[in-house]
Amino acid sequence: MRKKVFIALRMAGIAGQDKLGGIFRYLGDSHDWDCTLVRTARELTDARIAEALRERFDGFILSIPDTERSVAPLARANVPTIVMDVHDPSLSARKSNLVTIRNSAVAIGACAANILMSSGRCRSYAFVHNPTLMEWSVDRFRAFRETLRDSGHWCHELANAEGLRALERPVGVFAANDDTGFDVLAYCRAHGMRVPDDALVLGINNDTLICDNCRPRLSSIQPDFEQEGFLAAQALDAMMRARGDTPSRTLYVGVKTIVRRESTAETSLSGKLVQKAVAFIRQNARKGIGVGDVVRHLGCSRRLADLRFRELQGTSIGEAIITERLNAVRRLLTTTHETIEAIGASCGYDNPNYLKNLFRRRFGMTMRDFRRSTHGGPATRSS
């Protein structure tokens, strides 16, 4: 018997279109669903949902933001339901037959931080929220901030683009979504901030209608919306086929790709040189490399490498290597049960006492005290 499925997807942007493509990919040529498709928030009303419940629809897939009031009737029902981009507390409280699918804020925030850090140019970093300060915007900011902090950088949190002019340039800007990135680029043009020379701007969603019509064009992270749609159809199908209720759960989907455009492009030879150096340091710092290894990788004179690196990074190549190693030490102290000696050896420090003294000078505490002060940090016998 064909299943009656109610699908609400906002089709104006790439996200909804890709999610629908994922649903159809799961269903294939022999699907047995009788689908009703709603495309806009205006069409998705509580009366429409109530009518579908009276008609005994077998399942619902909901992915139109800002429609919490409209989907309220489903909070009181136990029909199999998939939720994407809808944040309704009463609906989320359901204990069964509900699957929430989200793109991973952790994956997105970490990806954005790594893109901007790998440019080798940013002297400061900022996250610009969407105007309504949605939950997903806050989650993305936190993940972005944590990744930067693990690498020794500070992140400025901005409600809008107004605060950008006060930050040290070049500033790496992560916008909550492509709409916000569009606004950031408009602000930069209006206030004489050159992109990407003074500000590198990165958005999310890769909405080509927006990204390709910005000036300059906007680089963007594309979540795997198509996979979200596939998982939505797969999970709904499983619930509708189940003989009894299934526990509610949440699934997370990561990043599909990074689309680089002019807003983060590197045009100068100096910038490309430093970007290459930063990438090499981040990849090899724990292997015990020195300044000479970096210079040989760059294929230029040590004097030129030091000069360009200090111009764009505000520090020396040697200091950047030390910082990367110590950041790795801190991460391992808080995430593993390895001894301090083992951590030092894995980060390129053969002399444990040298590392302990360096760590104390840099952070004002011993490695053991740092581990103890970290939430959940495991204790070891080594000091």
Side-chain angles (χ1 to χ4, degrees), residues 87-378:
H87 304 281
D88 176 64
S90 60
L91 184 58
S92 300
R94 276 178 42 177
K95 301 298 183 182
S96 62
N97 294 340
L98 175 72
V99 174
T100 301
I101 299 177
R102 296 182 176 179
N103 46 60
S104 170
V106 173
I108 289 173
C111 179
N114 287 321
I115 290 170
L116 294 174
M117 286 190 294
S118 68
S119 72
R121 298 174 52 217
C122 299
R123 305 291 291 274
S124 63
Y125 297 88
F127 182 93
V128 180
H129 284 287
N130 76 306
T132 54
L133 199 64
M134 298 295 288
E135 178 186 359
W136 48 262
S137 182
V138 176
D139 290 343
R140 290 170 179 179
F141 158 68
R142 289 172 177 166
F144 182 61
R145 177 187 61 188
E146 290 302 312
T147 305
L148 288 173
R149 188 162 62 185
D150 285 345
S151 294
H153 301 292
W154 175 254
C155 177
H156 298 269
E157 182 181 12
L158 303 177
N160 52 54
E162 289 292 332
L164 290 177
R165 282 197 298 172
L167 302 183
E168 188 175 9
R169 303 178 188 179
V171 53
V173 184
F174 181 31
N177 57 11
D178 290 336
D179 292 344
T180 304
F182 185 94
D183 294 339
V184 169
L185 291 176
Y187 177 88
C188 290
R189 285 197 306 273
H191 294 84
M193 293 182 66
R194 300 167 300 163
V195 177
D197 296 324
D198 296 324
L200 290 79
V201 184
L202 179 66
I204 310 172
N205 289 346
N206 191 36
D207 189 328
T208 55
L209 185 62
I210 294 174
C211 296
D212 287 336
N213 289 285
C214 293
R215 292 295 179 268
R217 297 190 308 153
L218 178 65
S219 295
S220 188
I221 297 170
Q222 182 174 332
D224 202 343
F225 296 123
E226 199 266 352
Q227 182 66 8
E228 288 183 43
F230 181 90
L231 291 179
Q234 184 181 58
L236 183 62
D237 196 28
M239 284 191 289
M240 292 189 300
R241 293 176 183 273
R243 294 184 178 181
D245 292 342
T246 60
S248 296
R249 58 195 175 117
T250 300
L251 304 176
Y252 293 93
V253 179
V255 171
K256 181 177 182 179
T257 190
I258 303 157
V259 181
R260 299 178 184 271
R261 300 183 178 90
E262 288 85 349
S263 69
T264 59
E266 180 50 66
T267 57
S268 71
L269 293 177
S270 296
K272 292 178 180 178
L273 186 75
V274 173
Q275 184 174 343
K276 186 177 180 181
V278 168
F280 183 79
I281 291 170
R282 295 190 69 194
Q283 184 176 0
N284 296 285
R286 291 176 57 179
K287 299 176 182 178
I289 62 169
V291 176
D293 297 296
V294 178
V295 172
R296 281 189 291 275
H297 177 72
L298 297 178
C300 65
S301 71
R302 179 163 182 161
R303 181 175 179 277
L304 177 63
D306 279 330
L307 177 64
R308 296 295 180 250
F309 199 92
R310 191 174 291 276
E311 282 178 348
L312 295 180
Q313 288 287 297
T315 188
S316 68
I317 294 175
E319 183 64 23
I321 295 172
I322 293 172
T323 299
E324 186 66 28
R325 281 186 191 161
L326 290 178
N327 286 336
V329 168
R330 290 198 299 174
R331 285 194 296 272
L332 292 173
L333 285 172
T334 59
T335 59
T336 75
H337 292 268
E338 293 290 332
T339 65
I340 287 173
E341 287 77 8
I343 289 174
S346 71
C347 293
Y349 291 102
D350 296 329
N351 186 329
N353 290 327
Y354 174 80
L355 172 59
K356 291 174 185 178
N357 292 331
L358 176 63
F359 193 96
R360 185 197 290 266
R361 290 197 304 271
R362 179 65 63 94
F363 302 113
M365 65 174 70
T366 66
M367 295 169 67
R368 187 176 185 179
D369 288 341
F370 176 82
R371 173 171 264 175
R372 285 176 170 174
S373 70
T374 305
H375 296 296

Side-chain angles (χ1 to χ4, degrees), residues 25-146:
R25 177 166 69 89
Y26 174 78
L27 294 176
D29 296 330
S30 58
H31 72 269
D32 59 351
W33 289 8
D34 182 7
C35 299
T36 294
L37 180 61
V38 172
R39 301 164 181 262
T40 66
R42 186 174 181 178
E43 295 177 76
L44 185 61
T45 64
D46 54 353
R48 188 79 181 269
I49 295 288
E51 179 184 5
L53 288 171
R54 287 194 300 270
E55 294 177 3
R56 298 187 179 278
F57 271 67
D58 297 290
F60 291 77
I61 296 178
L62 307 173
S63 185
I64 298 182
D66 305 321
T67 55
E68 286 76 11
R69 184 174 299 178
S70 300
V71 303
L74 280 172
R76 301 183 293 273
N78 201 36
V79 62
T81 303
I82 305 293
V83 170
M84 298 178 281
D85 304 318
V86 178
H87 304 281
D88 176 64
S90 60
L91 184 58
S92 300
R94 276 178 42 177
K95 301 298 183 182
S96 62
N97 294 340
L98 175 72
V99 174
T100 301
I101 299 177
R102 296 182 176 179
N103 46 60
S104 170
V106 173
I108 289 173
C111 179
N114 287 321
I115 290 170
L116 294 174
M117 286 190 294
S118 68
S119 72
R121 298 174 52 217
C122 299
R123 305 291 291 274
S124 63
Y125 297 88
F127 182 93
V128 180
H129 284 287
N130 76 306
T132 54
L133 199 64
M134 298 295 288
E135 178 186 359
W136 48 262
S137 182
V138 176
D139 290 343
R140 290 170 179 179
F141 158 68
R142 289 172 177 166
F144 182 61
R145 177 187 61 188
E146 290 302 312

